Amino acid sequence: METSRAWWRHAVVYQIYVRSFADGNGDGTGDIDGMRRRLPYLERLGIDAVWVNPWYRSPLLDGGYDVADYREINEQFGTTSEAEAFIAEAKAHGIRVLVDLVPNHSSWDHPWFRAALAAAPGSEERARYHFLEGRGDAGEVPPNDWQSVFGGPAWTRVPDGQWYLHTYDESQPDLNWDHPAVADEFDAVMRFWLDRGAAGFRIDVAHGLVKAPGYPDAGPVQELAGMPPGQHPFIDRDGIHPIVRRWRRLLDEYDDRMMVAEAWVDASRRPLYLRPDEYHQAFDFDLLTANWDAGEFASIIAESVSSAQAVGSDPTWVLSNHDVVRHATRYGLPNGIEPGLWLLDGDRSLLDEARGARRARAAALVTLALPGSAYVYQGDELGLPEAWDLPLDALQDPIWHDSGHTVKGRDGCRVPIPWEPTGESLGFGDGGAWLPQPRAYARLAAAVQENAPDSSLDIYRRALAIRRERLVDELGFELLDAGADVLAFRRGDRFVCMTNMGDLPVSLPAGEVFFASGPFDDGELPPDTTVWMA
Ligand code: NOJ
């Protein structure tokens, strides 16, 4: 663990999707007890911190991003005192714990929303959310044309005729950040977790929170990209930043806490979130949608590095998370195929799983060599592919329903982790698993890879150890020109990272290759391979 106050600057943070990480009590759902038991594994992996997806009391209609109580742990996951003990025990293993904070919306089971439903239009209780009258003669038309991010109208009507706003599922009513009680409550929630030892927060929907005054129509193009910067009625509005500065002042009262923004905004606007009195980090999501293409990777990386550094911050790399198709599968598909759409009924013969696995390792060695911080999603280190063939009747993600069954959703990246090659849930727990695990997961189980040289797990462990030794200094960063198919960059005088993203082997420059993502012959870099050279 880095001891400096700014420990996050070069940190490797491991993302735990609680429900699917490890099941301590055998009920088929992951829990805090399971997480606690796997701390030695995480310590051995060599990470600095974990980010724990929402673990609060919740009906789990959006996997816990529908919070019914921000201070209580979901009873399937454990108790608040177990969470506190986990934070302390992780610390003893040299691991900090980031908690996921969900300020844009609550669950419809939150006491505030229940009180709002029970209260009259115009009441104080309703003012903490966005309740409006409808349009049309009888108010039967939603107040405006906003569409939910998951699909369908962003408004649901309640029995007395008013409508409430939910920019996600209808079970996730948006909170009204113009109401002072909302900001005060989140201050108190932040203090609650910081006082229990949390190292900080991953802030959900950091680009949300603020809505345009008067709730104007969005117009025919609802996407952020279709509007001038700052003009979308509920995404990336300038009014977000005073809220962020308030949170930052609160965090700064503590010694070394941080917050990372989940801000899906245009890359040109990301630095606004990273100003010195705002977020410590904001995820660089552009690699999540990038093709396997050296030029594309290079320009994303160059932009992220320079725009973060321009505001005195560092980039924050992500290859997978609980919202996107796992990169071992993305990279097994041809460029230009939209993986999220392919999942439902795409041509299966397009998928080359072996190529995806090679590229996933190669990409990991890129992000782990770049300046800044890297986030690893649980199972990335095992090279897990997406569970792309989940049966439709197993799906739980609200996107499947809200999209009118046109988008399969995110369950395929949330399948429980295989710890052992055998057993009903491959060592996830003593019972079953809340989502079926693909058969291919058995050979990728952690126990299988544990002592296998050059397994994905072995490569991650060694890469993290080397990174810690050689790469966490202020080394600088320079992209190198090594041909159209090669991504290459230098960190300081004694470190070069090279990835062959083309189809043919390329010659390696003079120098010692001291680490590689896959086999290679002397002097040549095969396709889909990264080397670290001195
Ligand atoms: C982003 C989270 O990562 C995602 O899982 C969730 O569905 C939405 N925010 C809504 O909270």
Side-chain angles (χ1 to χ4, degrees), residues 421-460:
T422 56
E424 194 185 342
S425 60
L426 303 177
F428 170 61
D430 291 337
W434 70 279
L435 282 174
Q437 296 154 303
R439 229 177 309 159
Y441 273 25
R443 69 178 169 80
L444 295 172
V448 174
Q449 300 196 34
E450 178 66 41
N451 296 311
D454 297 329
S455 66
S456 177
L457 179 58
D458 180 52
I459 285 174
Y460 266 83

Side-chain angles (χ1 to χ4, degrees), residues 19 88 106 118 155 183 205 210 218 256 260 269 273 286 294 300 304 311 335 340 394 409 420 484 487 490 509 512 519:
R19 215 176 174 187
S106 74
W155 298 91
V205 192
V210 176
D256 57 354
V260 51
R269 302 263 296 176
Y273 292 75
D286 300 306
I300 288 171
S304 297
V311 283
N335 284 346
E420 303 287 338
L487 173 70
R490 177 190 295 289
E512 178 214 351

Side-chain angles (χ1 to χ4, degrees), residues 118-143:
S123 59
E124 215 16 53
E125 286 83 353
R126 289 209 174 172
R128 292 183 296 214
Y129 293 89
H130 300 270
F131 277 88
L132 260 67
E133 299 300 330
R135 293 181 296 186
D137 291 345
E140 74 286 6
V141 181

Side-chain angles (χ1 to χ4, degrees), residues 310-531:
V311 283
S313 184
D314 305 280
T316 302
W317 307 106
V318 187
L319 287 169
S320 278
N321 65 30
H322 64 294
D323 288 331
V324 298
V325 173
R326 282 186 177 275
H327 60 279
T329 298
R330 290 203 315 268
Y331 296 150
L333 289 168
N335 284 346
I337 296 287
E338 214 296 282
L341 298 178
W342 172 86
L343 279 184
L344 181 58
D345 50 14
D347 178 354
R348 301 309 185 212
S349 71
L350 294 177
L351 178 64
D352 182 337
E353 292 197 284
R355 176 190 281 166
R358 284 195 305 275
R359 290 179 174 178
R361 293 175 190 195
L365 291 204
V366 172
T367 54
L368 294 174
L370 286 169
S373 163
Y375 281 65
V376 175
Y377 178 42
Q378 65 181 36
D380 283 358
E381 79 282 17
L382 302 176
L384 291 189
E386 182 85 0
W388 49 265
D389 53 356
L390 280 181
L392 298 180
D393 60 8
L395 301 182
Q396 312 246 351
D397 185 351
I399 288 184
W400 173 236
H401 168 268
D402 293 353
S403 69
H405 297 173
T406 58
V407 182
K408 199 168 175 187
R410 303 161 293 178
D411 293 301
C413 64
R414 300 173 175 181
V415 167
I417 294 294
W419 293 98
E420 303 287 338
T422 56
E424 194 185 342
S425 60
L426 303 177
F428 170 61
D430 291 337
W434 70 279
L435 282 174
Q437 296 154 303
R439 229 177 309 159
Y441 273 25
R443 69 178 169 80
L444 295 172
V448 174
Q449 300 196 34
E450 178 66 41
N451 296 311
D454 297 329
S455 66
S456 177
L457 179 58
D458 180 52
I459 285 174
Y460 266 83
R461 280 185 183 147
R462 284 158 57 205
L464 290 187
I466 297 172
R467 173 187 163 95
R468 184 170 294 215
E469 236 175 60
R470 297 204 185 195
L471 287 172
V472 292
D473 291 332
E474 305 297 330
L475 282 177
F477 166 81
E478 186 196 345
L479 274 174
L480 303 175
D481 184 359
D485 286 333
V486 178
L487 173 70
F489 57 89
R490 177 190 295 289
R491 306 281 322 274
D493 296 336
R494 296 201 326 270
F495 183 94
V496 168
C497 177
M498 273 184 82
T499 309
N500 182 355
M501 301 180 89
D503 294 327
L504 299 171
V506 294
S507 307
L508 280 168
E512 178 214 351
V513 173
F514 62 89
F515 195 48
S517 68
F520 70 100
D521 290 329
D522 262 358
E524 280 211 329
L525 181 59
D528 306 328
T529 307
T530 295
V531 288

Side-chain angles (χ1 to χ4, degrees), residues 62 65 105 150 168 202 204-205 262 322-323 410 414:
D62 183 23
Y65 283 97
H105 43 263
F150 289 166
Y168 289 84
R202 177 265 189 190
D204 186 59
V205 192
E262 188 224 14
H322 64 294
D323 288 331
R410 303 161 293 178
R414 300 173 175 181

Side-chain angles (χ1 to χ4, degrees), residues 16 35 77 83 146 197 203-204 223 230 252 271 302-303 339 355 357 374 401 411 454 472 499:
I16 296 184
M35 286 157 53
F77 299 161
W146 296 359
I203 306 285
D204 186 59
E223 279 87 47
D252 284 348
E303 155 99 28
R355 176 190 281 166
H401 168 268
D411 293 301
D454 297 329
V472 292
T499 309

